[in-house]
Amino acid sequence: MSAPGPGEGVRHVSLRSGVYADSVRLMQVSRDVGAREGVVAVLVAMATPLNVDLAAGMGLAPDETPSPDQLLIAVRAVDDDALAAAVAAVDAALAERERSRATADAQPARTIAAGLEDLDPGGPALAIVSVPGQYAALEAADAIAAGRSVLVFSDGVPVEQEVALKRAASEADVLVMGPDCGTAIVSGVALGFANVVRPGPVGVVAASGTGAQQVSCLLDAAGVGVSHVLGVGGRDLSEAVGGLATLAALAALDADPATERVLVVSKPPAPSVAEAVARAAAGLSTPVRSAALSPETPDLTAAVEALLADMGRDVPVWPSRPGPAEAALPGAVLKGLYSGGTLADEAMLLAVPVLGDVRSNTPLRLELALGTDLSAPGHTVVDFGDDALTVGRAHPMIDPTLRLEAIDRLAASGEPAVLLLDVVLGHGADADPAAALAPALTAARARAHLPVVVALVGTEADPQGWSRQADALAAAGAAVFASNAAATRYAIDLLGAEL
């Protein structure tokens, strides 16, 4: 029997209320059920608008308008028996999760306040909040009231609540990292998406998750480690927030005897806030260098190299893997498909002076915004890690589905292009990103003349292993660079443009 197309076979679509599971767990259920014999397509996810659109694209749209707090189960199979078995497998996976929770020897506390009640006041000094955004501020406020610093992994927190939390933290002499803080290293302990890097004298303050990972990995490659990586949330250097957590983190690192240098990493900050941070940094005893992206300073690798020079350290040759010999493609366009927002911004800041306007879902200028289909002719850079694309879905560093689909569409489009990607390794990320990406790149290059350039952010000590991943991607025809700036410049060279 030939496999049914998107509109063929038999289908099951249902919505369930009162059931919640995190996006990573639901992604695993979808993968496991999707691997069953006779299953053509499956999506088990919270019924957010993005996930409902994905289901519709699979020909599995629900008949009724769902609520985002409902669970969507959408399955297509070759026949009724395969469909029934697949739905039963979904039910079994969800039931097993509930049984595990019900039979646990000790039920976990369900709020930060309850969790802190039984702790010694001198116990853990840091709380971590990872709940849907509408509930995060309440949990974080409980931690602050108990005298704990708090890392807010959750996104979707209103900016007014962020400001209120950070002002309360200042009064309590604690630190709020986040909201939307995906990366931190505190006293050698990696939190969220973080890499395995050596300990050392450089403290990093980061209003950028993948930016923090890029600089900490480059420092590791140079033989220089980090004391702490304090994420402050991507909005901290906006006018609305005013750098409240950045200023607090700078003060904390200045007081830390293990920190001899500080690097501040961010997407383009509000100019007035950048000035305020610079003034505060100038008054510290610990030297501070900025790695804030801007049209004038578009290169995180250059900032790391400048820091190494400050420290009297040699700048190494950054790791790379050459791709196949590729002739320049004048008239082709740059197509960037990123999982990291700061890396996407860096790529655009480097490309625009050479290539001209680049459209994006996170554009450098509002008039260059992509539509909801995330596609347009010409130069484009898509950030699949943007909050709008992760509601009810695992981050693309965990779940590559949307990007793999975009690679397939690009190869089928016939538009002459150079493909630029990031792959970010470390704790929390896909255990083997090349396992899915390398076959997709091989298939895309078989369909179209498509040079591929990868910025591979990670270390040899990461669970995935930088060299193992680099070798697998190079075997699939990609040129691989440890530096996103170097990768971007190489992609621009392949377009026949002069830097």
Side-chain angles (χ1 to χ4, degrees), residues 1 35 74 76 78 88 109 132 136 144 168 207 220 286 392 402 430 479 481 484 488:
M1 176 183 293
R76 184 182 301 284
V78 296
I144 294 168
D220 184 84
T286 307
L402 294 181
D430 189 331
F481 297 84
N484 183 55
T488 302

Side-chain angles (χ1 to χ4, degrees), residues 135-306:
Y135 310 118
L138 179 61
E139 298 298 331
D142 284 344
I144 294 168
R148 264 70 170 189
S149 293
V150 58
L151 184 151
V152 184
F153 189 83
S154 311
D155 59 15
V157 178
V159 69
E160 299 82 6
Q161 294 180 5
E162 177 176 349
V163 171
L165 288 172
K166 290 179 174 178
R167 287 177 176 166
S170 178
E171 294 175 1
D173 196 26
V174 296
L175 177 65
V176 170
M177 292 185 279
D180 199 13
C181 177
T183 299
I185 300 174
V186 181
S187 299
V189 178
L191 302 170
F193 298 114
N195 301 90
V196 181
V197 296
R198 69 191 76 207
V202 178
V204 178
V205 179
S208 155
T210 52
Q213 292 185 263
Q214 171 77 106
V215 301
S216 62
C217 290
L218 292 177
L219 287 168
D220 184 84
V224 177
V226 300
S227 57
H228 309 276
V229 176
L230 303 181
V232 294
R235 295 183 304 206
D236 193 70
L237 294 177
S238 66
E239 289 281 3
V241 183
L244 290 170
T246 298
L247 296 173
L250 284 172
L253 292 175
D254 191 44
D256 174 37
T259 300
E260 300 172 10
R261 301 272 177 172
V262 176
L263 189 65
V264 179
V265 185
S266 83
K267 298 178 182 180
S272 63
V273 180
E275 292 173 6
V277 169
R279 287 194 301 270
L284 301 178
S285 59
T286 307
V288 178
R289 176 171 282 278
S290 173
L293 292 176
S294 73
E296 295 73 35
T297 55
D299 187 330
L300 294 176
T301 303
V304 171
E305 292 172 350

Side-chain angles (χ1 to χ4, degrees), residues 24 27-28 31 192-195 213 339 394-401 403-404 423-438 456-457 462-465 468-469:
V24 176
M27 177 192 71
Q28 189 60 55
R31 285 182 175 176
F193 298 114
N195 301 90
Q213 292 185 263
S339 61
H395 193 278
M397 286 160 56
I398 302 171
D399 179 4
T401 302
R403 185 160 69 171
L404 295 177
V423 175
V424 185
L425 309 180
H427 294 301
D430 189 331
D432 186 7
L437 182 56
L456 180 62
V457 176
D462 281 332
Q464 304 87 347
R468 290 196 303 275
Q469 297 296 313

Side-chain angles (χ1 to χ4, degrees), residues 18-436:
V19 179
Y20 175 80
D22 68 84
S23 56
V24 176
R25 173 61 181 147
L26 295 178
M27 177 192 71
Q28 189 60 55
V29 172
S30 296
R31 285 182 175 176
D32 291 347
V33 176
R36 296 178 66 90
E37 184 177 356
V39 176
V40 178
V42 59
L43 178 65
V44 183
M46 302 309 294
T48 63
L50 174 62
N51 288 332
V52 172
D53 285 347
L54 287 172
M58 299 160 64
L60 295 169
D63 293 331
E64 59 187 277
T65 302
S67 168
D69 59 2
Q70 291 180 300
L71 180 68
L72 170 65
I73 299 173
V75 185
R76 184 182 301 284
V78 296
D79 55 36
D80 290 336
D81 289 342
L83 182 66
V87 174
V90 172
D91 290 338
L94 297 174
E96 177 59 31
R97 173 179 174 273
E98 291 303 315
R99 280 196 299 272
S100 298
R101 293 174 59 185
T103 59
D105 291 337
Q107 291 298 311
R110 299 183 68 85
T111 67
I112 290 287
L116 292 173
E117 283 179 358
D118 298 328
L119 290 179
D120 188 302
L126 178 67
I128 299 174
V129 173
S130 181
V131 297
Q134 62 264 42
Y135 310 118
L138 179 61
E139 298 298 331
D142 284 344
I144 294 168
R148 264 70 170 189
S149 293
V150 58
L151 184 151
V152 184
F153 189 83
S154 311
D155 59 15
V157 178
V159 69
E160 299 82 6
Q161 294 180 5
E162 177 176 349
V163 171
L165 288 172
K166 290 179 174 178
R167 287 177 176 166
S170 178
E171 294 175 1
D173 196 26
V174 296
L175 177 65
V176 170
M177 292 185 279
D180 199 13
C181 177
T183 299
I185 300 174
V186 181
S187 299
V189 178
L191 302 170
F193 298 114
N195 301 90
V196 181
V197 296
R198 69 191 76 207
V202 178
V204 178
V205 179
S208 155
T210 52
Q213 292 185 263
Q214 171 77 106
V215 301
S216 62
C217 290
L218 292 177
L219 287 168
D220 184 84
V224 177
V226 300
S227 57
H228 309 276
V229 176
L230 303 181
V232 294
R235 295 183 304 206
D236 193 70
L237 294 177
S238 66
E239 289 281 3
V241 183
L244 290 170
T246 298
L247 296 173
L250 284 172
L253 292 175
D254 191 44
D256 174 37
T259 300
E260 300 172 10
R261 301 272 177 172
V262 176
L263 189 65
V264 179
V265 185
S266 83
K267 298 178 182 180
S272 63
V273 180
E275 292 173 6
V277 169
R279 287 194 301 270
L284 301 178
S285 59
T286 307
V288 178
R289 176 171 282 278
S290 173
L293 292 176
S294 73
E296 295 73 35
T297 55
D299 187 330
L300 294 176
T301 303
V304 171
E305 292 172 350
L307 177 63
L308 293 173
D310 293 344
M311 301 173 70
R313 303 292 292 261
D314 292 334
V315 175
V317 176
W318 302 117
S320 65
R321 295 288 189 276
E326 301 274 11
L329 296 173
V333 297
L334 180 69
K335 296 295 186 181
L337 302 178
Y338 274 80
S339 61
T342 300
L343 301 180
D345 278 357
E346 181 183 36
M348 289 189 285
L349 287 166
L350 290 167
V352 164
V354 184
L355 303 179
D357 288 343
V358 177
R359 300 193 66 186
S360 176
N361 60 323
T362 56
L364 298 179
R365 303 198 316 271
L366 289 177
E367 63 268 25
L368 297 175
L370 289 171
T372 55
D373 62 353
L374 303 179
S375 66
H379 306 301
T380 62
V381 171
V382 177
D383 171 17
F384 287 101
D386 182 58
D387 288 354
L389 299 180
T390 58
V391 177
R393 287 190 67 86
H395 193 278
M397 286 160 56
I398 302 171
D399 179 4
T401 302
L402 294 181
R403 185 160 69 171
L404 295 177
E405 291 172 351
I407 292 170
D408 183 65
R409 289 194 299 271
L410 175 61
S413 72
E415 185 176 20
V418 172
L419 175 60
L420 177 61
L421 307 166
D422 66 340
V423 175
V424 185
L425 309 180
H427 294 301
D430 189 331
D432 186 7

